[in-house]
Amino acid sequence: MLRIRAALPAAACALALGAAALPASAALDLAVGARKIVKNQPVSGCNAAAKNALNSVLSDAAEIGSGDTGEWRAYGAPDSSGHSSAAAAVHCYPIDDGYVVTFTCAVETPPNADTASALCGKLATAFGGGP
């Protein structure tokens, strides 16, 4: 009986350590994408392009906060439980006679097939505006 009592905690510990070494079933991938400077254009053009780019790659783009913040976000299509595995943000900052735009992306893999870097690349392409 003493051997069984000593073996049970040892077996439980070995099982716990073995389970900790298994690969994770999902990972969160985060990327800060391209930064583009666009001269001789109003920041309102950036806001329109941000909304259009987010809606073309993801869905339901919306400006964060109240007023004209220049910060936009969108999510990927939800799964059967209502959760999205992709999200992105586009920020428009006015400078002198133009604006700077930045892209930030996050994906959960799996189930998402794209990396966060690839998602940001798609957004930058959809946004346009040149490097």
Side-chain angles (χ1 to χ4, degrees):
M1 193 65 158
L2 183 61
R3 284 187 220 160
I4 293 173
R5 286 187 180 171
L8 285 176
C13 185
L15 182 62
L17 290 174
L22 295 174
S25 60
L28 183 64
D29 186 21
L30 178 67
V32 176
R35 185 184 118 222
K36 296 183 178 189
I37 298 173
V38 178
K39 296 186 180 213
N40 301 318
Q41 296 293 321
V43 76
S44 61
C46 180
N47 287 326
K51 183 176 182 179
N52 291 337
L54 284 166
N55 279 329
S56 71
V57 176
L58 298 169
S59 61
D60 296 328
E63 193 166 14
I64 300 169
S66 60
D68 191 17
T69 63
E71 297 182 14
W72 294 84
R73 60 101 181 121
Y75 300 99
D79 60 15
S80 61
S81 64
H83 297 101
S84 175
S85 64
V90 178
H91 298 146
C92 299
Y93 302 105
I95 57 168
D96 299 328
D97 62 343
Y99 59 84
V100 174
V101 60
T102 63
F103 305 90
T104 308
C105 305
V107 298
E108 181 183 6
T109 54
N112 204 301
D114 276 341
T115 63
S117 181
L119 178 60
C120 275
K122 288 178 183 179
L123 274 175
T125 300
F127 184 89

